[in-house]
Each structure stands twice: as structure tokens, then as C-alpha cells.
Amino acid sequence: MLFRSIDDNYFALGGDSIKAIQIAARAGAHGLSVTIRDVFTHPTVAGLARAAGTRHAAPQGPVTGDVPLTAIQQWFFQEHAGPYDHFNQAALLTWLERADADALHRAVTALIEHHDGLRSRFDEVDGAWRQHVGTAAELHWLEDDLRHLSQEDAVREMTARADRLHTGLDIRAGRLMAAAVFRLPDADRVLLVVHHLVIDGVSWRVLLEDLDTAYQQVRRGEPIALPAKTHAF
């Protein structure tokens, strides 16, 4: 999507609600307050410039404490009799070069520290499920070198071990995320598994972008500095 002038219409150029979320987030990183509604109401750069305000910075430290269940989380516990731990979304990434496993581990750990929802745990008290965001979370981490196998056998073994990662999450213990580096003959694969209680399709875009940012910063020997948080739920 390319704006040729400040009066081009965002939607006429192919803009949608997902890209609007990214616009709002990136404007916030520059100290501007732009909401999704602003993008829909003022779908030109000129209009947004007039509507944008100054963002009041959200607290950037860890946010902890009890959190009410969202409507979809309530639905999950009401409609499913259990077990609850295997209800996940995942991304399997092919690395263009051999992955730096240590840098990846540090980057994924930084994601859990930065995105408070990834530190959630869920407990059933008197028949009602509750959510609590803690100060730390357990990351299920795996490194596996399968280069001694044929490509076909390596893929088969990776799939089996990935299935075990999926079933290893524990919402009560706060283990909502797993990550693995699989070294295959042709290329490395990086698997991220996150419980669906704390991630959706839109969230993946943010998470993967932050993963790339943190990983590259570690590789360059820089401190990890992720985009500023928005206000906590």
C-alpha cells in the first residue's frame, strides 16, 4: 500500500482493520495518539494529522494482578469440559540461516516479560475460573539437532516432538508458551506454541515482529528494546 499524497484514501488503497491496528501502534511509538476509530473516520494522512493527539505514555514496567476473563475466555471454560491445556495456536518458521539458539531463547524470554498476558495463569476456584498475571512464567524450551537424519525422517521426528510440545502446556502452572529450535538437514525451523487463551491471529503479527526485533538486537550485541506498551487490559 503506497500513499502518493496526503489526501489519498486509506481504504481505496486496500487498507483494512488489521493494518489500521498497525498504524495506531506505530503512531503510538512516535508519541502520537491515533485510535482505530480515527483511521476509519479520517482515512487520509491529512485527516489523521488533524485528528491525532499526544499519547499519554502507558506504564512500561511489568503489570501483575487479577484480570477478569474476557467474553471469549468465559466461553472457552463454559463450553469445554476439559482437558484445557491443549487448545493452542502455533507458528513454524523456516530460518534463512542457521538459528542462533541462545539469541532466540533470550528474545522469546523478553517477549514473555514484555507482553504481560503471556505470564497469565488460570485457576478454578469454587467452580469459577480466574485469571492472574504473575511476575514470571515458565517457558517450555527445546533444542533438537536432527541433521544426522534424512530430510524425510527429520521432518517426521520434528512433527512428533512438536506434538509433545503442544500437549506440554499447563494453564494452571502459567506455562502458556513453548518454543523450539529444530535443526534439519535443509534449514532450521523455529516453532512457537501459545495457548489460545492469550493469543489470536492479530496478536501473532505483533508477537512475530517483536521476536524479530529482539532477536536482531541480541545478535548485534544491543540491549533488547521493544516498542512501548499500550495501556494494560
Side-chain angles (χ1 to χ4, degrees):
M1 185 169 62
L2 177 65
F3 285 91
R4 294 179 175 82
S5 82
I6 61 173
D7 296 312
D8 282 351
N9 186 285
Y10 169 72
F11 297 103
L13 294 174
D16 56 29
S17 59
I18 302 301
K19 293 186 180 73
I21 293 172
Q22 295 174 323
I23 289 173
R26 293 182 183 184
H30 293 280
L32 298 174
S33 178
V34 174
T35 67
I36 311 304
R37 178 175 300 198
D38 289 335
V39 178
F40 276 75
T41 307
H42 309 282
T44 66
V45 173
L48 273 180
R50 291 190 293 268
T54 302
R55 177 181 289 273
H56 298 286
Q60 296 302 301
V63 176
T64 62
D66 294 331
V67 182
L69 297 179
T70 65
I72 197 64
Q73 288 173 332
Q74 292 176 18
W75 171 87
F76 171 70
F77 288 116
Q78 290 169 359
E79 296 297 323
H80 290 74
Y84 299 105
D85 296 319
H86 187 187
F87 188 67
N88 317 324
Q89 291 192 339
L92 182 64
L93 313 173
T94 300
W95 236 243
L96 296 180
E97 58 186 18
R98 292 298 176 181
D100 183 332
D102 179 65
L104 269 170
H105 188 275
R106 290 175 60 187
V108 174
T109 301
L111 294 185
I112 295 175
E113 294 172 353
H114 187 71
H115 294 283
D116 302 301
L118 295 177
R119 301 194 307 275
S120 297
R121 65 182 64 223
F122 298 83
D123 294 297
E124 190 176 16
V125 180
D126 298 328
W129 282 90
R130 298 180 181 179
Q131 178 178 192
H132 179 84
V133 178
T135 57
E138 182 180 350
L139 171 65
H140 194 172
W141 175 262
L142 175 67
E143 295 178 38
D144 242 333
D145 193 338
L146 305 173
R147 286 175 290 184
H148 61 286
L149 302 174
S150 68
Q151 181 70 16
E152 182 179 355
D153 288 343
V155 170
R156 185 181 299 110
E157 185 62 26
M158 177 186 69
T159 302
R161 297 182 189 190
D163 287 344
R164 290 197 288 273
L165 276 182
H166 271 280
T167 58
L169 300 188
D170 187 335
I171 65 172
R172 292 176 176 83
R175 188 165 64 245
L176 301 180
M177 186 171 185
V181 178
F182 295 106
R183 302 199 187 280
L184 273 63
D186 66 334
D188 288 351
R189 308 295 196 278
V190 175
L191 174 68
L192 300 177
V193 179
V194 186
H195 200 284
H196 198 10
L197 279 168
V198 293
I199 200 166
D200 58 18
V202 176
S203 308
W204 274 110
R205 299 182 183 214
V206 177
L207 202 68
L208 293 177
E209 188 172 306
D210 284 354
L211 175 66
D212 179 60
T213 297
Y215 179 74
Q216 299 300 339
Q217 289 170 339
V218 173
R219 293 293 306 277
R220 293 193 298 266
E222 301 171 358
I224 295 177
L226 295 175
K229 293 182 182 183
T230 56
H231 288 278
F233 171 72

